[in-house]
């Protein structure tokens, strides 16, 4: 890194949709401003995965001021794959039966009830990796420095001045024991006047900053894990599924109303162009089954009588996993003044938890929060103590907080009362009181998941198509706090759930001792950090460029 990057005006950590939207808007507003974006991935979009369904208003709000003809560009056409014209919401009763409840969703929308927001007609299907790569191209064309392969491990917070001064990058060239190798490179400091944290869900710097700057959440942050595969199918299957159709499914195999498992979440199916169908399973991490693996639920979903005919015989060309912040409005970290961030540090997108759980979408809010951050900085960079306050006002003006508030009790109600009672009760939405809920890892019990597929899920192939890799000779970035707890308590009581739930097979029992044995397989989903029943795992940042290499996820 050259010295010109060591002292910047605005430093954005995370080149996802929120961070790049901020960079693009800032550079458009103030071309002379020194705006630098850093990202730990090797290439644009490599660490970005989502469904993804995008509210087109958000991308128009971002791109219209940049280029009024942006929709006609080949890049935009390649990214915004299809407009949704058929929007199915299925309730899967068993492995065979399903019925479409979209009429109920439409009715709920008509009456302004919370889950009516699940209706996606008019939205656009896109690949988040491709969207991010395109936004990177736009940002670079405007003069933003976007630096890939730059991983930050800490934010430098001056508690006396109530200001952040910069971020520290990860050291490189340590061996497995932490000794310096010949190519050792100490992580540099990047100083900045304003720091935008847009790292995605459960961001390392964001969570450190929340602690250091004394931000608080009014309610617990809940997470879900999404596992997704991109499947190449034949012409007939793709045509039969139909181009502009999206399917959201609830019920089997993670929730059956009477005796079956009771988990929050469901399956998704989206057409992704070029005969590809994205198939995924999202499961709330407040599940209680100690032997549950979300990939088993994905397998069952793919075998369902509705899904199977569309994908049978298809080839999985890409796969991946990520967490989604689901706590909603009450889980947004705020300073006591109400600001989302503090002084010159702003929390954007998933780092702030801007996912509307009634819509199951956060991409629109990620983009809008990026624009709001840029608007806040415009003309105010020399007032660093006021930036977070101004940013929060801009978020209100842009409708982000209103959107979050409209879904504010949905996930808490289901977490508190379960699917059967919680779902119907959630129609009362924001009129319900705030419920106290437990953290995801506290929900684990010794109960067993009854619908495991007969064949063990092939995690090796899953990680191979996610193209994940890390330099092998570096310290393990997954830190287990107390190995005694693993062996003497967790293994006996729960059977070491990390071995089962990690989608990449990172954890293994070696001579009866659970260990993070294969850290180079890690997909950076951070599930282990939130679901280990003893809160005994810390995910730290590995050397930059490590991790998955998503292209169309
Ligand atoms: Fe159990 Fe957590 Fe240890 Fe894994 S790391 S064995 S989940 S205590
Ligand atoms: Fe996800 Fe943790 Fe497994 Fe990495 S080790 S893939 S962060 S669960």
């Amino acid at each position: 890194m050259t010295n010109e990057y060591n002292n910047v005006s605005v430093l954005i950590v995370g080149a996802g949709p929120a961070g790049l939207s901020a960079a693009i808007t800032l550079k458009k507003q103030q071309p002379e401003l020194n705006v630098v974006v850093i990202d730990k991935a090797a290439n644009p979009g490599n660490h970005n995965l989502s469904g993804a369904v995008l509210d087109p208003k958000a991308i128009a709000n971002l791109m219209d001021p940049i280029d009024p003809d942006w929709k006609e560009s080949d890049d935009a056409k390649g990214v915004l794959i299809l407009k949704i014209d058929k929007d199915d919401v299925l309730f899967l009763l068993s492995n065979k039966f399903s019925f479409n409840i979209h009429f109920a969703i439409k009715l709920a929308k008509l009456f302004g009830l919370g889950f009516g927001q699940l209706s996606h007609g008019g939205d656009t299907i896109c690949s988040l990796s491709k969207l991010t790569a395109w936004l990177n191209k736009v940002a670079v064309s405007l003069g933003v420095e976007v630096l890939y392969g730059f991983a930050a491990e800490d934010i430098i917070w001056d508690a006396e001045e109530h200001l952040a001064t910069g971020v520290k990058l990860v050291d490189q060239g340590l061996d497995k024991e932490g000794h310096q190798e010949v190519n050792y490179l100490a992580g540099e400091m990047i100083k900045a006047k304003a720091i935008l944290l847009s790292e995605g869900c459960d961001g390392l710097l964001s969570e450190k900053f929340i602690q250091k700057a004394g931000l608080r959440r009014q309610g617990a942050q809940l997470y879900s894990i999404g596992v997704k595969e991109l499947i190449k199918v034949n012409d007939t299957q793709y045509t039969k599924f139909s181009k502009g159709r999206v399917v959201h499914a609830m019920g089997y195999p993670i929730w059956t109303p009477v005796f079956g498992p009771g988990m929050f979440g469901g399956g998704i199916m989206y057409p992704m162009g070029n005969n590809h169908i994205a198939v995924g399973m999202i499961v709330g991490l407040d599940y209680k089954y100690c032997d549950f693996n979300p990939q088993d639920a994905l397998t069952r979903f793919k075998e369902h009588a509705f899904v199977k005919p569309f994908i049978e015989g298809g080839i999985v060309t890409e796969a991946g996993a990520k967490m989604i912040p689901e706590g909603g409005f009450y889980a947004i970290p705020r300073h006591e003044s109400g600001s989302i961030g503090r002084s010159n540090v702003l929390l954007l997108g998933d780092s702030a938890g801007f996912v509307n759980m009634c819509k199951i979408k956060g991409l629109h809010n990620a983009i809008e929060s990026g624009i709001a951050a840029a608007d806040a900085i415009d003309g105010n960079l020399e007032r660093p103590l006021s930036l977070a306050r101004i940013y929060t006002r801009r978020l209100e003006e842009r409708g982000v907080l209103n959107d979050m508030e409209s879904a504010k009790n949905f996930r808490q109600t289901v977490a508190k009362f379960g699917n059967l009672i919680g779902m119907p009760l959630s129609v009362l939405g924001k009129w319900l009181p705030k419920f106290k809920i437990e953290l995801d890892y506290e929900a684990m019990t010794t109960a067993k998941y009854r619908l495991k597929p007969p064949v063990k899920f092939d995690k090796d192939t899953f990680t191979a198509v996610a193209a994940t890799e890390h330099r092998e000779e570096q310290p393990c970035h997954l830190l287990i706090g107390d190995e005694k707890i693993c062996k003497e308590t967790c293994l006996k009581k729960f059977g070491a759930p990390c071995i089962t739930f990690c989608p990449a097979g990172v954890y293994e029992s070696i001579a009866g001792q659970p260990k993070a044995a294969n850290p180079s397989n890690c997909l950076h989903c951070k599930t282990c950090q939130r679901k280990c029943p003893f809160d005994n795992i810390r995910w730290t940042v590995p050397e930059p460029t490590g991790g998955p290499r998503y292209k169309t996820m």
Side-chain angles (χ1 to χ4, degrees):
M1 187 168 66
T2 56
N3 281 334
E4 67 187 284
Y5 297 128
N6 286 359
N7 223 326
V8 304
S9 304
V10 181
L11 176 66
I12 301 172
V13 183
L20 289 170
S21 298
I24 289 167
T25 310
L26 268 169
K27 210 60 185 172
K28 175 72 183 171
Q29 289 166 339
Q30 305 174 74
E32 74 296 341
L33 204 66
N34 184 5
V35 181
V36 172
V37 186
I38 58 170
D39 196 282
K40 62 184 168 52
N43 301 293
N46 276 179
H47 288 185
N48 301 101
L49 176 155
S50 179
V53 168
L54 172 65
D55 176 347
K57 280 201 291 290
I59 195 76
N61 287 344
L62 174 69
M63 290 304 298
D64 283 352
I66 310 297
D67 172 12
D69 297 322
W70 64 272
K71 281 185 199 143
E72 301 312 315
S73 74
D74 289 342
D75 285 330
K77 284 179 185 164
V79 167
L80 306 173
I81 300 169
L82 293 162
K83 200 168 167 203
I84 297 169
D85 53 34
K86 193 166 186 316
D87 185 9
D88 290 329
V89 181
L90 300 183
F91 190 78
L92 309 183
L93 286 169
S94 66
N95 60 347
K96 287 196 176 62
F97 301 107
S98 63
F99 63 95
N100 201 335
I101 55 166
H102 191 237
F103 67 93
I105 304 292
K106 276 198 164 157
L107 211 60
K109 192 175 186 179
L110 205 64
F111 287 104
L113 300 174
F115 63 74
Q117 298 183 63
L118 192 56
S119 190
H120 292 302
D123 290 347
T124 305
I125 303 164
C126 70
S127 145
L128 186 61
S129 335
K130 281 190 172 180
L131 174 75
T132 305
W134 169 46
L135 295 182
N136 167 70
K137 198 170 161 188
V138 175
V140 170
S141 73
L142 291 168
V144 177
E145 301 281 355
V146 191
L147 307 173
Y148 290 92
F150 281 70
E153 67 177 11
D154 207 355
I155 181 160
I156 313 303
W157 177 254
D158 185 329
E160 277 180 25
E161 299 288 331
H162 310 301
L163 281 173
T165 50
V167 306
K168 184 192 173 292
L169 301 179
V170 169
D171 295 346
Q172 296 180 58
L174 294 170
D175 68 15
K176 281 189 172 175
E177 278 70 46
H179 304 130
Q180 295 178 9
E181 295 179 318
V182 280
N183 58 347
Y184 172 74
L185 199 60
E188 288 191 56
M189 270 274 294
I190 308 181
K191 290 187 180 164
K193 287 185 177 173
I195 298 173
L196 276 45
L197 298 176
S198 51
E199 305 167 281
C201 181
D202 204 15
L204 186 95
L205 259 57
S206 309
E207 295 304 313
K208 282 187 177 177
F209 165 71
I210 289 165
Q211 294 295 324
K212 288 182 180 186
L215 271 56
R216 297 268 181 277
R217 293 180 164 103
Q218 281 184 62
Q221 180 59 288
L222 296 176
Y223 299 92
S224 66
I225 166 93
V227 285
K228 176 178 161 186
E229 289 178 348
L230 208 58
I231 304 176
K232 187 161 199 250
V233 299
N234 63 40
D235 289 344
T236 317
Q237 286 169 313
Y238 195 71
T239 312
K240 210 168 138 203
F241 185 68
S242 108
K243 276 185 189 164
R245 175 194 208 175
V246 294
V247 173
H248 293 96
M250 58 181 95
Y252 179 90
I254 59 169
W255 170 38
T256 50
V258 188
F259 301 114
M263 289 181 264
F264 179 82
I268 59 160
M269 280 181 89
Y270 302 153
M272 298 297 290
N274 299 323
N275 282 13
H276 281 79
I277 298 178
V279 180
M281 175 58 63
I282 299 166
V283 184
L285 284 185
D286 54 349
Y287 67 79
K288 62 181 181 181
Y289 305 100
C290 62
D291 65 341
F292 178 69
N293 169 17
Q295 289 157 320
D296 286 341
L298 178 65
T299 304
R300 287 290 195 200
F301 179 62
K302 284 166 65 180
E303 286 168 354
H304 190 276
F306 171 83
V307 180
K308 194 172 176 181
F310 297 117
I311 57 167
E312 193 168 21
I315 298 164
V316 178
T317 56
E318 265 192 89
K322 74 163 278 199
M323 278 203 316
I324 304 162
E326 293 194 337
F329 188 77
Y330 289 126
I332 297 171
R334 293 180 187 254
H335 180 243
E336 61 190 16
S337 63
S339 64
I340 301 169
R342 190 171 178 192
S343 306
N344 60 340
V345 183
L346 317 181
L347 291 164
L348 277 60
D350 279 9
S351 287
F354 292 150
V355 174
N356 175 324
M357 277 311 294
C358 285
K359 293 179 179 170
I360 335 174
K361 277 196 297 192
L363 191 44
H364 60 302
N365 283 337
I367 293 170
E368 291 288 356
S369 69
I371 303 171
D375 286 348
I377 289 169
D378 191 13
N380 295 309
L381 199 54
E382 301 311 321
R383 302 167 59 202
L385 290 171
S386 307
L387 286 176
R389 190 171 40 78
I390 302 168
Y391 167 59
T392 309
R393 231 168 34 225
R394 299 286 174 270
L395 286 170
E396 274 164 15
E397 289 160 8
R398 299 201 69 81
V400 174
L401 297 184
N402 198 28
D403 184 68
M404 291 299 297
E405 199 172 6
S406 69
K408 74 176 174 183
N409 272 315
F410 176 71
R411 187 65 181 89
Q412 280 80 1
T413 310
V414 181
K416 184 80 184 170
F417 298 101
N419 291 324
L420 208 54
I421 298 170
M423 287 271 189
L425 200 59
S426 72
V427 297
L428 296 173
K430 56 184 177 183
W431 295 291
L432 287 165
K434 179 161 73 83
F435 300 114
K436 193 170 167 13
I437 46 172
E438 58 189 353
L439 293 167
D440 289 325
Y441 76 87
E442 294 169 329
M444 188 75 87
T445 70
T446 53
K448 299 280 168 68
Y449 178 60
R450 288 196 303 109
L451 297 173
K452 270 178 175 285
V455 180
K456 212 171 165 206
F457 188 87
D458 181 358
K459 292 184 182 180
D460 289 342
T461 304
F462 191 87
T463 45
V465 285
T468 189
E469 59 181 41
H470 295 79
R471 189 176 72 89
E472 294 280 348
E473 293 304 316
Q474 62 178 302
C476 177
H477 68 283
L478 296 144
L479 309 181
I480 295 182
D482 185 346
E483 290 204 341
K484 250 168 82 179
I485 292 178
C486 302
K487 188 171 180 172
E488 291 171 15
T489 313
C490 185
L491 191 60
K492 288 178 188 153
K493 187 173 179 191
F494 297 122
C498 56
I499 297 173
T500 312
F501 67 61
C502 168
V506 167
Y507 298 90
E508 275 181 28
S509 180
I510 298 173
Q513 176 65 58
K515 284 193 178 300
N518 311 301
S520 52
N521 284 1
C522 179
L523 295 169
H524 297 198
C525 72
K526 301 178 193 154
T527 304
C528 50
Q529 173 161 269
R530 296 296 169 185
K531 196 55 187 170
C532 162
F534 294 92
D535 193 21
N536 199 20
I537 300 176
R538 288 293 169 268
W539 187 92
T540 65
V541 192
E543 284 186 6
T545 74
R549 281 172 167 63
Y550 302 138
K551 292 194 186 78
T552 322
M553 293 300 278

